[in-house]
Amino acid sequence: MSKSEAKKKRIKLLRQQGKDVTEQRGTADFSTHVRLTKTKKEVMEKNLRKHKNRYEDA
């Protein structure tokens, strides 16, 4: 079986610079959980709580 182009590049990088890029797999400097934007209802409820229900009667 032949080597893929990506594997050839990884081996060349390891040979020339001594850097093994496969060790960096699965690491991230930031959170990778899913972020969802708030719905219109959630935003309105937050504003009601934020301003201590001043605008609830309106």
Side-chain angles (χ1 to χ4, degrees), residues 12-56:
K12 183 178 178 182
L13 191 65
L14 179 64
R15 187 174 61 240
Q16 290 179 343
Q17 297 177 4
K19 185 190 294 186
D20 189 10
V21 293
T22 58
E23 293 174 355
Q24 297 174 353
R25 289 182 184 156
T27 60
D29 296 338
F30 53 90
S31 175
T32 56
H33 73 276
V34 178
R35 291 176 173 83
L36 300 174
T37 58
K38 292 185 178 181
T39 62
K40 183 177 179 180
K41 184 177 179 182
E42 289 172 338
V43 171
M44 291 174 74
E45 287 175 358
K46 181 181 179 185
N47 285 333
L48 285 174
R49 286 193 311 275
K50 181 178 178 181
H51 300 291
K52 298 186 181 182
N53 299 325
R54 285 190 293 178
Y55 304 111
E56 189 173 314

